[in-house]
Amino acid sequence: MYEDKTLICKECGAEFVFTAGEQEFYAEKGFTNEPQRCKACRAARKTARGESNGTREMFDAVCAECGKPCKVPFQPREDRPVYCSDCFAARR
């Protein structure tokens, strides 16, 4: 059903292969867009954001539901509620 596709990285302009297995994985996850960057450029972006080794910056917050202190991976804003992981999971 799926066949390997050669795509062009929008970051570096290099050709890369979007394999049939990757296409199947994307379809299973419900992703509708093809990747726009090669693996090297995707890895570089992750590293730049601090996600490659689990050193993502975390911010202190107070849960709007239960009032417990928690840490979140984004800068909380005053106009939006923040939930701890337990309350967030319960709201889903």
Side-chain angles (χ1 to χ4, degrees), residues 5-63:
K5 289 184 183 180
T6 301
L7 304 175
I8 306 294
C9 177
K10 80 175 201 176
E11 194 84 20
C12 68
E15 289 186 353
F16 67 98
V17 177
F18 185 34
T19 67
E22 290 170 328
Q23 292 174 51
E24 186 174 356
F25 174 80
Y26 272 51
E28 286 174 6
K29 296 293 182 186
F31 301 147
T32 56
N33 298 324
E34 295 177 341
Q36 296 185 2
R37 292 176 179 84
C38 65
K39 287 186 181 190
C41 288
R42 288 196 311 255
R45 284 175 58 90
K46 274 187 168 183
T47 300
R49 290 190 314 238
E51 296 178 11
S52 63
N53 59 5
T55 60
R56 190 172 197 187
E57 183 178 6
M58 300 295 278
F59 298 89
D60 291 323
V62 176
C63 178

Side-chain angles (χ1 to χ4, degrees), residues 61-70 80-84 87-88 91:
V62 176
C63 178
E65 187 83 21
C66 69
K68 290 190 316 190
C70 58
R80 304 276 302 190
V82 174
Y83 301 101
C84 67
C87 292
F88 183 77
R91 294 179 66 83

